[in-house]
Amino acid sequence: MSETDYLLDHVMVRVGDLEESMDWYQTHLDYVEYSRWEADTFTNVKLGPEDRDPEDALVELTYNHGRSDYEMGDAWGHIAVRVDDVYDAYEELMDEGVEDYRDPDSCGGEYAFVKDPDGHEVEIVERDHGKEWSLDHTMIRVEDADDALGYWARKFEYVPAGRWESDSFANYFMKPRDAPEDAMTVELTYNYDGRTYEMGDAWGHLAVATDDLGDAWDDLMERESADYRDPESCDWKYAFTKDQDGHEIEVVPRE
């Protein structure tokens, strides 16, 4: 598979008990640890399916030492993981003691939801592609669909990957033009009633990977993306911008 610039690399969530959260993802989603960064004040651990492809996105758990409580907010929605059969997968999770949140029947038999130990929602979606439990999409809520779609199209050159419009809301999926089928997408949820959202701090960011951090950052600045944390301020290890609603997007060199 060809390497695609701005492929979604990981999604970061903050957790109050690192070992408890790792145990949850390793036990129930069969995730393994891929990397760990121990800093003076925090620890980052990246997890994903054991037989993942290099293009598959990971979950990054961030534990800030000595802090256990975060504001969930409602600007971020959930991560979604793939399974072969949503009913079988949900029954398996219930047998393992995962709390019953939204079963498949309550979701029309097409998907279901559980929560991790910190209350982060995890959607379970039935797919005929991708590894079992691999990340399918990450959902964020946006206040203006046109602005959000334009942001991802202009700044990152993303293209539509699906849409679902109902009477009260719409979901728009975006991905890089040449992304492999199994690559995680970003789901933009727009509610028609004009509501606003609270960001909270329980969710951290989406991350996209690029071959050249400097060139990618220059492109983003030329396309008028927010100059939040430039590569130099991050020792040229990564950088951060923000979308039109304030969701943080990390730009990382491709590993």
Side-chain angles (χ1 to χ4, degrees):
M1 284 181 267
S2 62
E3 292 186 335
T4 304
D5 235 15
Y6 299 130
L7 199 68
L8 288 164
D9 181 80
H10 66 266
V11 54
M12 187 273 267
V13 296
R14 296 184 176 94
V15 301
D17 185 318
L18 180 59
E19 296 308 316
E20 180 183 17
S21 293
M22 287 185 60
D23 180 69
W24 192 90
Y25 283 92
Q26 291 174 322
T27 298
H28 303 304
L29 305 189
D30 297 326
Y31 279 12
V32 297
E33 180 177 331
Y34 279 96
S35 66
R36 180 182 291 248
W37 180 18
E38 297 275 3
D40 292 337
T41 59
F42 66 88
T43 302
N44 289 342
V45 179
K46 289 182 180 178
L47 303 168
E50 184 172 10
D51 56 349
R52 66 181 283 265
D53 292 326
E55 295 88 356
D56 289 348
L58 298 173
V59 173
E60 181 179 64
L61 305 179
T62 290
Y63 170 63
N64 290 296
H65 302 166
R67 182 174 177 184
S68 60
D69 295 319
Y70 295 95
E71 293 294 328
M72 190 61 66
D74 58 2
W76 178 60
H78 58 259
I79 58 173
V81 296
R82 304 180 181 108
V83 297
D84 293 328
D85 186 293
V86 66
Y87 280 94
D88 288 347
Y90 202 78
E91 183 177 354
E92 176 184 331
L93 293 173
M94 295 303 99
D95 289 344
E96 293 171 353
V98 175
E99 184 178 351
D100 184 3
Y101 178 45
R102 293 179 61 188
D103 65 22
D105 285 337
S106 71
C107 301
E110 297 180 359
Y111 53 90
F113 280 88
V114 295
K115 290 185 178 182
D116 75 3
D118 292 276
H120 299 294
E121 294 186 13
V122 180
E123 182 183 6
I124 304 163
V125 294
E126 197 168 301
R127 294 286 190 252
D128 59 4
H129 62 271
K131 302 293 190 301
E132 188 86 350
W133 304 114
S134 63
L135 287 172
D136 182 77
H137 63 266
T138 292
M139 188 273 267
I140 57 177
R141 296 186 176 93
V142 301
E143 296 181 6
D144 187 304
D146 291 337
D147 285 350
L149 290 166
Y151 177 88
W152 284 95
R154 180 167 183 245
K155 272 59 170 181
F156 293 101
E157 300 180 40
Y158 275 32
V159 297
R163 63 196 292 162
W164 179 33
E165 296 178 337
S166 73
D167 293 336
S168 59
F169 70 93
N171 295 334
Y172 302 99
F173 296 85
M174 301 290 286
K175 68 175 183 179
R177 184 179 305 277
D178 298 319
E181 184 181 31
D182 296 352
M184 183 174 76
T185 61
V186 56
E187 179 186 34
L188 308 173
T189 290
Y190 171 61
N191 288 291
Y192 301 154
D193 57 11
R195 72 184 71 177
T196 59
Y197 302 100
E198 295 295 329
M199 192 64 65
D201 59 0
W203 179 61
H205 59 258
L206 283 167
V208 298
T210 182
D211 288 328
D212 190 301
L213 180 58
D215 286 348
W217 187 254
D218 289 343
D219 287 343
L220 288 171
M221 294 301 97
E222 184 176 347
R223 296 167 187 169
E224 302 174 292
S225 194
D227 184 359
Y228 180 43
R229 296 176 61 189
D230 64 23
E232 185 175 3
S233 70
C234 301
D235 297 325
W236 290 96
K237 296 177 180 178
Y238 48 85
F240 279 89
T241 185
K242 289 185 178 182
D243 73 2
Q244 73 293 329
D245 288 295
H247 298 286
E248 294 184 16
I249 303 168
E250 183 181 15
V251 185
V252 299
R254 193 187 315 278
E255 294 182 0

